[in-house]
Amino acid sequence: MLIQIFQSLIELLYHYTGDYGIAIVLITVIIRTIFIPFNIKQRKQIKKQQEFSEKIENIKHKYRRNNKKRNDELQKIYQESGTGVMGCLPTLLQIPLMWCLYHAIRQTMVVGTATKLLPWVSSLLVKDQMLILPIATLVVQLLPQIYPYIRFFKQLNLQKAPFPMIITMFLANSFFVFAIPSGIGLYYFISGLFIAVEQLVGNLFALHHARVQVA
């Protein structure tokens, strides 16, 4: 059902733009924009979870020689904590929607469909032989993982993914993005770029808020 709805939206956007590439970009941006409030809530939940974990570690260190006191304090903080599985809900909601959008784009493309956005690609159904789009996609997908390592955002104490995990994800994504048709690659590039920009703006806003509080 959702796949058909997305297909209809793509066709509608194509009717007004005359370009399937632009239609793919617009529908991807629309869907990602709808999820911005959920993503903001998720980032707040992740921040709370991070602070919760730090409190747990501090209590374990502070009362490492007093088991009873440590257990009492841990029990108290577990009861007061509002963290839970709800923090994963935005991500879980997005998975089926983005999966349907992926298949809607795949089923909508026809042979010979090109786009002004990728003038070096003959059709959205073929791979980018110049590898411009796949490389750009890998870069934008990697950006959110790099933000926590940038000194400018050090004050935010962003949660860092281990380098081995980042490298593994990068390699896994490489096998995928180099093999997919350009139409799907365009979808993944715009989606990754949107996420990277959204998180960058969120980090800048949080940094500004933190500095205002200090001042």
Side-chain angles (χ1 to χ4, degrees), residues 2-183:
L2 275 176
I3 295 177
Q4 285 75 24
I5 292 174
F6 286 146
Q7 282 183 285
S8 298
L9 285 174
I10 293 172
E11 292 293 349
L12 179 64
L13 291 170
Y14 172 74
H15 174 74
Y16 286 104
T17 64
D19 190 306
Y20 274 111
I22 296 175
I24 290 172
V25 170
L26 290 177
I27 193 170
T28 304
V29 170
I30 290 170
I31 299 300
R32 285 295 178 187
T33 301
I34 291 173
F35 275 101
I36 285 179
F38 297 98
N39 292 336
I40 292 174
K41 184 175 181 180
Q42 183 183 33
R43 283 197 293 271
K44 290 180 179 179
Q45 189 70 24
I46 291 174
K47 182 65 175 176
K48 285 177 62 178
Q49 183 65 51
Q50 188 177 356
E51 293 172 352
F52 174 75
S53 298
E54 290 174 356
K55 288 180 181 179
I56 294 295
E57 291 302 317
N58 290 336
I59 289 174
K60 288 181 178 180
H61 178 74
K62 184 177 180 180
Y63 301 108
R64 59 186 181 278
R65 291 187 174 86
N66 189 333
N67 291 339
K68 185 178 185 308
K69 181 66 174 177
R70 183 182 66 234
N71 293 336
D72 290 343
E73 291 296 320
L74 288 174
Q75 186 66 28
K76 185 187 300 183
I77 198 171
Y78 281 131
Q79 291 175 349
E80 294 174 353
S81 172
T83 58
V85 295
M86 293 300 292
C88 301
L89 187 59
T91 300
L92 295 176
L93 284 173
Q94 291 184 55
I95 291 173
L97 282 177
M98 300 313 291
W99 181 86
C100 290
L101 179 56
Y102 168 89
H103 283 278
I105 292 171
R106 195 177 187 94
Q107 294 174 22
T108 302
M109 292 186 298
V110 296
V111 177
T113 303
T115 174
K116 300 173 184 177
L117 301 178
L118 307 173
W120 63 90
V121 177
S122 61
S123 170
L124 291 173
L125 285 175
V126 302
K127 295 184 289 185
D128 180 358
Q129 299 297 330
M130 297 182 66
L131 304 181
I132 296 174
L133 185 59
I135 292 173
T137 301
L138 289 173
V139 170
V140 297
Q141 288 181 346
L142 190 61
L143 283 176
Q145 308 299 327
I146 294 177
Y147 292 155
Y149 291 93
I150 298 176
R151 290 186 63 185
F152 184 74
F153 295 126
K154 185 177 180 180
Q155 184 179 348
L156 296 178
N157 194 26
L158 299 173
Q159 193 168 18
K160 297 179 180 179
F163 270 115
M165 182 183 295
I166 294 176
I167 294 172
T168 301
M169 290 175 59
F170 181 82
L171 292 175
N173 288 337
S174 298
F175 285 109
F176 179 71
V177 300
F178 283 118
I180 57 179
S182 297

